[in-house]
Amino acid sequence: MGVGALIGALIVVTSSVMADKPQNEVAPDSAVQQEKVTLPLQELRAFAEVFERVSNDYVEEVDEKKLLEGAISGMLSSLDPHSAYLPPKSFEEMEEHTKGEFGGLGMEVGMEDGFVKVISPIDDTPAQKAGVKAGDLIVKLGDEPVKGKTLSEAVKIMRGKPGTKLKLTIVRKGNDAPIVLEITRAVIKVKSVKQRLLKDGVGYVRISQFQIRTGQDLVNAIEKLDEENKGPINGLVLDLRNNPGGVLTAAVQVSDAFLNEGLIVYTEGRIKNSKMRFEAQQGDIMKGRPVVVLINEGSASASEIVAGALQDQKRAIVVGRTSFGKGSVQTLLPLNNGAAIKVTTARYFTPLGRSIQAEGIKPDIKVDLVKVEKVDTSELVSVKEKDLSGHLENGNGSDKSKKTKSEKDAKKLEEINELLEKDYELNEALRVLKTMSLAQKMK
C-alpha cells in the first residue's frame, strides 16, 4: 500500500467514524465540530511513511494487519494505563470476566513502567492462594520478560488450559530479591459475595469484585445474616479489601442498599454521554444500624465508589488504608472486525465532588499494615487461683447440662476468634463498629 493511498484510507475511515456518532454527541458549534474532524495530515504522512518503510525494509517479512493492530494498540496505550485495543479474543474474554467465570490465575492487573502490576488478587483463586499481593510487579511470565509486551499479550500468556502451570517472577516492595511463584491455572468461578456472623450479632459481608448480580447478592447475604442471628443484625462490616472493582451499576446498587436518598456518584467527561448522575432510592436495608467499610491499597474503582458514597453521606465509617485511586470510567466500543477499543471517557466523583482518580479514598480511621504473631506463653511462669492451696471450688459442678453454650456454638465462637486473631484489620473494624453501636444506643 503506497503512502498516498494509506493517508487517503485513514482520512476516509476517520471521517466515517465521526459521521456515525450520535447527533447528541456532536457539539452544535460548527467551529467545534470542524475542530473534531480536522486531521493532522503531516503526522499522518509520517505514520504512513514509517508503515511503508517497515513493511519494505524490516529484516523479516511483516504481517501488515499485525503491524496496523500494533499501531492502534500503541495509540491507545499511550493515553493512560486503562485504555487499550482488545483483539476479538481479548474482547470475548473480557465479556466472560464480567459474568463471573473465566480461565486463568485469578487476579486483576494493569501496566506500570512496562511491567504487569497486580491491582489485586481475586478471592479463592490460584493467585491468591499462592500468595500474590496487591502492588506486586510481575517482571517475567515463565521464562519470558514482561518488558516490551502489551497488557493484552501478557494476559494471554497468563490465561491457559486449567491444570497447566505458570511460573511468575515478582518484584515486591520491601523484598530485596525477586519472588518466584509457580501457579496452576484453573477455571475461575468467582462468587462475589460471602457472609458470616461475627460476635455480638455483628454481620460480615465480603465483596471480592462487582459483577452484574452483586447488588442483589448483597441484599440476600444480609437477609441470611438476619435469619442466622434470629433477628436483625446489630451492625455490618462491609469488606472491600483487594476488591479490584467491576460493573458500575453493581457499585451503585450496593451503595443504594444502605441509603434512603442522596447522590451516590457522578461522572464528568468531554462527551454528553459521559456525564451521568446516580441517586439513591428509598430503602436502607440496615435501617440506620451502623456500617463499617473496610478498604486497603487493593480496593479500586467500583469499591472506591461505594466507600466514597457511604463516607460522604455519613452512612458508614471507612476503616483501613488509602485505596488504589482508579477513578476513571472506561467505555467499550466494539469495532466491525469483532475487536473493541476500551477508552477512558470520564472521571468518577464522590457526592461531595471529590475526584477518586490518583487520590483514592482516605479512611476515616487508618489501620496500618501489621504482622500479627501469637506469643508462646508455655514457658511463662504463671500462678492462678486454682493453683493455690485450699482454693474454693468453682460452684458450677460438672453437670454438662449447665453449660451456657452448645458445643456447636462454642466451635463457631472459636473459629471467629481465630479469624479475628489472624485478621488485625477486621478486628479493628469490629471494634469501631461496637463503639458506633454503643454511641447509637446512648442517644
Side-chain angles (χ1 to χ4, degrees):
M1 185 183 287
V3 174
L6 183 57
I7 292 175
L10 285 168
I11 292 171
V12 170
V13 169
T14 309
S15 300
S16 67
V17 169
M18 291 304 299
D20 288 340
K21 289 179 77 65
Q23 291 297 315
N24 62 356
E25 289 188 25
V26 179
D29 185 353
S30 60
V32 175
Q33 190 173 355
Q34 182 63 38
E35 185 182 342
K36 282 187 176 181
V37 296
T38 300
L39 296 170
L41 292 178
Q42 189 173 342
E43 284 76 12
L44 284 173
R45 286 193 184 95
F47 170 78
E49 185 178 355
V50 169
F51 177 85
E52 188 172 52
R53 292 278 180 89
V54 171
S55 296
N56 293 332
D57 300 348
Y58 187 66
V59 64
E60 295 176 354
E61 190 174 342
V62 179
D63 182 340
E64 292 189 343
K65 180 184 173 184
K66 188 176 179 182
L67 201 59
L68 284 170
E69 282 192 339
I72 296 168
S73 181
M75 183 198 311
L76 288 158
S77 63
S78 69
L79 299 173
D80 65 76
H82 308 292
S83 294
Y85 172 70
L86 303 173
K89 184 67 176 171
S90 298
F91 182 31
E92 185 183 325
E93 287 170 351
M94 173 166 275
E95 288 184 312
E96 287 175 4
H97 190 283
T98 60
K99 291 173 185 173
E101 184 171 328
F102 53 96
L105 304 178
M107 53 187 167
E108 189 78 13
V109 294
M111 291 296 282
E112 184 174 289
D113 300 327
F115 298 111
V116 173
K117 182 173 184 176
V118 178
I119 295 173
S120 66
I122 298 168
D123 285 357
D124 301 323
T125 62
Q128 193 240 6
K129 290 173 182 175
V132 175
K133 297 184 182 297
D136 284 350
L137 282 180
I138 301 172
V139 296
K140 285 178 78 175
L141 294 164
D143 296 324
E144 296 184 47
V146 170
K147 200 80 169 177
K149 296 185 188 301
T150 65
L151 184 58
S152 295
E153 288 169 341
V155 168
K156 190 175 180 181
I157 294 171
M158 286 189 277
R159 290 182 184 272
K161 190 177 178 182
T164 58
K165 296 180 185 293
L166 179 66
K167 186 171 67 177
L168 302 184
T169 304
I170 288 169
V171 172
R172 181 176 295 164
K173 191 175 180 181
N175 284 65
D176 295 331
I179 300 166
V180 178
L181 299 174
E182 189 173 63
I183 307 178
T184 303
R185 296 181 182 92
V187 174
I188 311 298
K189 292 183 180 179
V190 181
K191 183 182 177 185
S192 70
V193 178
K194 295 178 182 177
Q195 79 282 339
R196 73 175 301 163
L197 200 60
L198 299 177
K199 292 179 176 180
D200 305 318
V202 171
Y204 169 82
V205 171
R206 161 76 181 156
I207 301 180
S208 58
Q209 63 175 243
F210 288 86
Q211 300 167 1
I212 294 165
R213 283 190 48 82
T214 298
Q216 185 56 51
D217 288 346
L218 169 82
V219 172
N220 294 342
I222 293 174
E223 288 173 350
K224 285 177 184 174
L225 288 171
D226 287 341
E227 188 179 330
E228 188 181 344
N229 193 49
K230 296 180 174 57
I233 54 175
N234 297 323
L236 181 75
V237 176
L238 181 63
D239 189 353
L240 302 179
R241 290 175 295 175
N242 295 320
N243 181 320
V247 181
L248 170 61
T249 52
V252 171
Q253 288 166 2
V254 168
S255 303
D256 195 5
F258 301 104
L259 297 168
N260 283 315
E261 60 180 1
L263 186 61
I264 292 172
V265 67
Y266 68 94
T267 62
E268 293 282 353
R270 291 172 62 202
I271 60 175
K272 186 176 179 180
N273 285 1
S274 68
K275 293 175 171 61
M276 298 182 289
R277 291 175 67 85
F278 297 90
E279 302 275 345
Q281 305 297 314
Q282 183 73 27
D284 172 8
I285 192 169
M286 289 291 293
K287 294 182 170 49
R289 282 165 283 150
V291 177
V292 167
V293 178
L294 201 49
I295 63 170
N296 66 2
E297 53 285 329
S299 307
S301 192
S303 54
E304 294 175 288
I305 289 172
V306 174
L310 299 184
Q311 187 180 54
D312 279 8
Q313 295 289 8
K314 300 191 185 306
R315 181 61 191 90
I317 296 290
V318 178
V319 174
R321 295 181 297 283
T322 301
S323 60
F324 183 78
K326 184 189 176 294
S328 58
V329 183
Q330 282 69 48
T331 303
L332 271 177
L333 304 173
L335 303 176
N336 293 331
N337 65 349
I341 56 172
K342 185 174 66 164
V343 185
T344 300
T345 54
R347 289 183 176 88
Y348 291 123
F349 293 86
T350 70
L352 294 181
R354 296 182 293 157
S355 172
I356 296 168
Q357 179 59 26
E359 289 288 334
I361 299 297
K362 291 182 174 61
D364 299 303
I365 299 174
K366 185 182 177 186
V367 178
D368 290 322
L369 185 63
V370 298
K371 186 177 181 181
V372 180
E373 289 184 343
K374 197 169 183 177
V375 177
D376 183 9
T377 59
S378 60
E379 295 182 6
L380 294 177
V381 177
S382 175
V383 178
K384 296 183 179 181
E385 172 72 12
K386 66 179 181 179
D387 300 317
L388 299 178
S389 177
H391 69 270
L392 288 175
E393 293 300 321
N394 177 267
N396 285 334
S398 58
D399 189 354
K400 290 184 180 179
S401 65
K402 291 183 179 179
K403 288 184 177 180
T404 57
K405 284 187 179 291
S406 69
E407 288 184 8
K408 188 176 179 182
D409 288 341
K411 189 176 180 183
K412 262 189 184 178
L413 187 61
E414 188 181 341
E415 286 175 359
I416 292 168
N417 286 333
E418 283 179 8
L419 172 66
L420 294 173
E421 277 179 13
K422 292 175 185 175
D423 194 335
Y424 175 70
E425 294 157 24
L426 178 58
N427 202 1
E428 287 297 289
L430 185 61
R431 185 181 60 80
V432 171
L433 193 68
K434 285 181 179 178
T435 305
M436 292 169 67
S437 184
L438 184 63
Q440 268 193 1
K441 289 174 183 176
M442 292 174 67
K443 282 183 180 179

